Amino acid sequence: MLPYEILLNIFFSCKNLANKDILSKSDPMIELYMNDTFIGRTEKVKNNLNPSFSTPIKVTYNFEKLQNLTIKIIDVDNDNNNTGDNLGNVKTTLGELVSQEPGTAFTLPVNDGKGTISMTYEEIIPSIRKTLTSDYVALGNGLVTQEVKKGSSYKIVVDKFIINAKGIDLEKKDLFGKSDPYYYIYRLIGGNKILIYKSEIIKSNLNPIWKTTEIYTENLDTNCFSQGQKYWIEVYDYDKYGSDDLIGEVELEDLFYEISPDGQEFRGELTDKSRKNKYKKRGEIVLNITHTVNIKEETVNSYKVISNYTFAKNLKAYPNLQSTVSFIDAMKMGMKLNVICAVDYTSSNGSMHDVVAHTMNPYQTALSAVGQVLEPYDHDKKFSFLGYGGHKNGEFPPYFTVGETEQVDGGIQGILETYARTRDMIKMGDMGTAKGGDMDWRANNGKYYCDDFYQIINAISDKAENDMMTKFPPGSHQLPSDYYIIFFVIDGDGFDMDGTIRALVRASSLPVSIVLIGVGDGSFANLSKFDADGMPLTVDEVSTIRDIVQFVKFNECKTDGTVDMIKLAAEVLAEIPTQVETFIGLYGCNIVNNV
């Protein structure tokens, strides 16, 4: 979840409103209701049929909820209770407003009146977001994680700086012993210090030699390689029972600029300007820094995922990838959300796929609950609709289009109609092996059981990867033009754990989020593992770099036997804004993409 709530200010203006006053023009005011609850009102603008209201109305934005808006326009006759003649109204959703084309107002015709109303919005930026920084930013030209085929070769590049540091004649800070020194290296940017490295503590030593450390270039900002970049070195004395004492500090320059394999020495005299004798020498620190680049080529003997960055290997916890560019910023900068629906047609579903008039089966309910929330964000209201685990047209592929084409017009209603219309055309599959596609190299030992769904993840990842490499390549810091949300409605549990985790590891470094809704009475032991909130998933020694999966059991969203569709959607969609922001943070996306 986001570490803050999203608050928006909505601004309103109108044109060509109806005139309800005889001797003058209308005095319009806006009232805003969300899901029939009063939220706020603007000021009254006197004698004006084309008002621009200066008072915004503040709302709390929840991506995971369908937030219906009703905008009422009132010609105020009584200032005491803000009542008057009705000039019309407009109905829309907050999602439709947020997903508008960047730089354009959201304009709609006024119902039960005349004229138009236009809306714009801005995010109220909390102070906490101004301080968010990513632990890691992928600065190179390669994806953080990627797949490689059996028999293919790839290059492993190890580009690193090696630092050997020592202190000379450090100041004695302990009354009954010597100092226990350690040091920090910070990069200076503006008035801020960005931590690069903290050393270990050397006990009771005024001439410490700290252990050799390696800093990989992938973990350094590109400014570190520029001439003139300044750094701040602080040396402290560790105290077991109190606060650590500053021994001294010094500013150095160009620590990582054009360093050769032969290395370069940097020396600095330590001072403490907070003390009375602020220019007194408190010792000296010496950094010997070398730069090495090793490239080797490796041929793989089986399909696997690799990482081009060491920070994505064998993770025990997800890194902080938050950035100052928010989900709302991304939407305003033109990022589009693409929705992909995927349905399980395996025979274990039994009657859950039965289509009965005037009622909804679990698949229809789940598709409707999630789809109606996502629909306002899909820019062309065309959802991709895929199925797996079933036979279509006499074939048993790893996945297939449910309708005649992958994309279905008409948003979620089009999906529901296509699902019902094609139900008898798709034969539910048993536990046999699906055939075709790229099973010969992506599946585990060439076997792909119909309960497995990761080939759909790989298919969407193929699109997302192609987008990245052609439209907003890694290292360009451009915002993705398209972000993909795949939501599965599943009865099975997935059998090929390694195959699924490989697909998730790969997708975690792409603009992709995944929603899993488990229908039926199964335990979903494997599906619940894929929703790895606390511990990254790892295979081939490479980990999911972002938490991109949200899983919920359909039956746990029932109240008195009836599915709570609002709760179901909220459970599986609440983390989408965070997932978008962590992708932005991972690649440092802060440039508008005009592709």
Side-chain angles (χ1 to χ4, degrees):
M1 297 289 289
L2 291 171
Y4 55 88
E5 64 179 355
I6 300 177
L7 298 175
L8 305 179
N9 273 332
I10 303 179
F11 295 85
F12 300 88
S13 63
C14 300
K15 287 189 178 297
N16 302 318
L17 294 178
N19 188 13
K20 292 296 182 86
D21 295 344
I22 298 175
L23 300 178
S24 63
K25 297 178 181 178
S26 296
D27 303 324
M29 177 189 72
I30 297 289
E31 287 188 344
L32 178 65
Y33 295 79
M34 182 183 293
N35 296 334
D36 298 325
T37 299
F38 175 74
I39 300 298
R41 58 173 60 92
T42 67
E43 81 280 13
K44 177 183 74 173
V45 177
K46 296 189 67 174
N47 199 32
N48 197 325
L49 302 182
N50 299 285
S52 291
F53 301 94
S54 60
T55 303
I57 299 177
K58 183 168 71 174
V59 300
T60 299
Y61 169 75
N62 298 107
F63 174 85
E64 70 276 14
K65 296 179 181 179
L66 184 61
Q67 295 178 286
N68 293 304
L69 301 181
T70 300
I71 301 107
K72 296 182 179 180
I73 310 169
I74 300 170
D75 174 18
V76 179
D77 295 326
N78 187 326
D79 290 331
N80 292 327
N81 55 17
N82 293 304
T83 58
D85 296 322
N86 174 36
L87 295 179
N89 65 82
V90 168
K91 294 183 182 293
T92 185
T93 68
L94 190 54
E96 288 178 312
L97 171 60
V98 168
S99 59
Q100 282 303 293
E101 290 291 331
T104 61
F106 184 34
T107 301
L108 294 171
V110 174
N111 302 316
D112 300 325
K114 61 173 292 191
T116 60
I117 186 168
S118 295
M119 292 166 276
T120 59
Y121 69 92
E122 66 179 15
E123 185 178 5
I124 302 172
I125 301 174
S127 58
I128 186 175
R129 211 190 78 211
K130 298 177 183 178
T131 64
L132 294 176
T133 56
S134 253
D135 290 344
Y136 304 108
V137 177
L139 300 172
N141 296 321
L143 296 167
V144 174
T145 58
Q146 68 183 76
E147 62 179 1
V148 289
K149 296 182 181 181
K150 177 181 178 179
S152 62
S153 298
Y154 68 98
K155 290 182 179 179
I156 301 174
V157 179
V158 180
D159 188 344
K160 62 185 178 182
F161 292 90
I162 301 170
I163 301 178
N164 288 287
K166 64 181 180 180
I168 300 174
D169 296 330
L170 299 183
E171 184 178 40
K172 180 177 177 294
K173 304 294 288 186
D174 295 340
L175 183 62
F176 299 108
K178 300 177 181 179
S179 296
D180 304 322
Y182 65 94
Y183 71 93
Y184 292 99
I185 300 177
Y186 295 95
R187 179 170 71 91
L188 296 178
I189 176 169
N192 298 319
K193 299 186 300 183
I194 308 298
L195 180 64
I196 291 178
Y197 177 71
K198 177 185 177 182
S199 77
E200 82 282 11
I201 298 166
I202 302 291
K203 289 287 189 176
S204 190
N205 197 324
L206 300 182
N207 293 280
I209 299 176
W210 287 283
K211 70 178 182 180
T212 299
T213 187
E214 297 177 346
I215 298 179
Y216 293 88
T217 57
E218 66 198 49
N219 297 334
L220 294 172
D221 187 273
T222 51
N223 290 317
C224 292
F225 313 126
S226 301
Q227 188 175 18
Q229 174 63 57
K230 298 183 185 302
Y231 301 86
W232 193 250
I233 315 298
E234 295 176 350
V235 181
Y236 279 85
D237 168 41
Y238 168 76
D239 282 333
K240 184 176 181 179
Y241 299 108
S243 58
D244 296 350
D245 298 317
L246 176 66
I247 294 175
E249 53 198 357
V250 64
E251 182 181 290
L252 298 175
E253 189 172 300
D254 294 341
L255 294 185
F256 305 104
Y257 174 68
E258 294 188 351
I259 304 298
S260 71
D262 295 329
Q264 186 171 338
E265 182 180 272
F266 298 86
R267 286 177 173 265
E269 291 187 356
L270 300 171
T271 60
D272 181 359
K273 295 182 180 180
S274 66
R275 296 163 65 182
K276 182 179 293 186
N277 298 321
K278 60 183 179 180
Y279 295 110
K280 177 184 175 182
K281 181 178 177 181
R282 314 284 177 179
E284 188 175 10
I285 189 168
V286 180
L287 303 176
N288 282 287
I289 302 179
T290 59
H291 181 209
T292 64
V293 180
N294 294 313
I295 302 175
K296 69 175 183 178
E297 193 167 285
E298 183 173 301
T299 301
V300 298
N301 55 17
S302 63
Y303 169 63
K304 65 186 294 187
V305 286
I306 63 168
S307 175
N308 293 305
Y309 294 84
T310 57
F311 62 69
K313 295 180 179 179
N314 296 313
L315 289 173
K316 300 302 181 185
Y318 289 107
N320 166 39
L321 297 175
Q322 292 289 337
S323 76
T324 55
V325 177
S326 71
F327 174 78
I328 294 295
D329 290 332
M331 298 300 291
K332 294 187 77 169
M333 292 165 70
M335 186 187 73
K336 305 296 184 186
L337 301 184
N338 291 272
V339 180
I340 301 95
C341 308
V343 167
D344 175 356
Y345 283 95
T346 53
S347 58
S348 57
N349 278 279
S351 62
M352 286 194 295
H353 268 303
D354 289 353
V355 175
V356 180
H358 310 301
T359 188
M360 297 179 75
N361 68 32
Y363 281 86
Q364 291 168 310
T365 302
L367 288 169
S368 179
V370 177
Q372 67 179 339
V373 175
L374 291 177
E375 182 174 317
Y377 300 95
D378 193 283
H379 64 288
D380 57 6
K381 303 297 183 287
K382 292 182 178 180
F383 286 11
S384 293
F385 193 15
L386 303 175
Y388 72 96
H391 300 258
K392 184 181 179 184
N393 299 329
E395 297 181 350
F396 191 19
Y399 64 92
F400 49 86
T401 61
V402 176
E404 291 75 19
T405 59
E406 178 179 328
Q407 288 198 320
V408 175
D409 290 327
I412 194 58
Q413 187 58 39
I415 291 290
L416 293 172
E417 291 173 359
T418 301
Y419 171 81
R421 176 174 53 81
T422 60
R423 177 59 201 90
D424 292 336
M425 302 177 189
I426 299 170
K427 177 185 175 183
M428 289 190 287
D430 55 21
M431 279 300 297
T433 302
K435 306 292 184 183
D438 42 20
M439 294 304 93
D440 58 330
W441 62 274
R442 267 182 174 152
N444 188 18
N445 297 320
K447 293 184 178 180
Y448 187 75
Y449 294 99
C450 65
D451 267 47
D452 286 317
F453 53 88
Y454 63 83
Q455 290 302 359
I456 291 179
I457 299 174
N458 276 323
I460 303 307
S461 292
D462 288 343
K463 293 181 181 180
E465 182 174 323
N466 182 67
D467 283 349
M468 283 195 68
M469 303 312 291
T470 59
K471 298 178 183 178
F472 48 98
S476 70
H477 302 301
Q478 289 182 310
L479 189 77
S481 54
D482 294 280
Y483 191 96
Y484 295 87
I485 301 174
I486 318 170
F487 83 89
F488 291 89
V489 188
I490 298 177
D491 163 63
D493 203 20
F495 288 88
D496 185 350
M497 291 294 290
D498 282 352
T500 306
I501 293 174
R502 283 191 184 96
L504 296 176
V505 167
R506 179 193 178 201
S508 72
S509 72
L510 296 168
V512 172
S513 289
I514 297 167
V515 169
L516 304 174
I517 301 175
V519 296
D521 298 321
S523 65
F524 302 107
N526 289 342
L527 289 189
S528 61
K529 292 176 183 176
F530 300 142
D531 183 3
D533 287 333
M535 179 76 169
L537 300 167
T538 299
V539 67
D540 305 330
E541 298 186 345
V542 183
S543 304
T544 47
I545 189 64
R546 299 187 299 127
D547 176 15
I548 63 168
V549 178
Q550 187 67 18
F551 165 69
V552 66
K553 292 182 181 179
F554 182 82
N555 287 341
E556 290 183 354
C557 293
K558 289 182 177 180
T559 302
D560 297 328
T562 302
V563 175
D564 185 338
M565 295 177 69
I566 295 175
K567 179 181 179 182
L568 176 62
E571 287 284 340
V572 294
L573 296 178
E575 294 185 10
I576 296 293
T578 303
Q579 292 167 2
V580 170
E581 291 186 5
T582 56
F583 176 84
I584 291 170
L586 177 61
Y587 289 99
C589 304
N590 55 20
I591 299 174
V592 174
N593 191 319
N594 295 316
V595 176

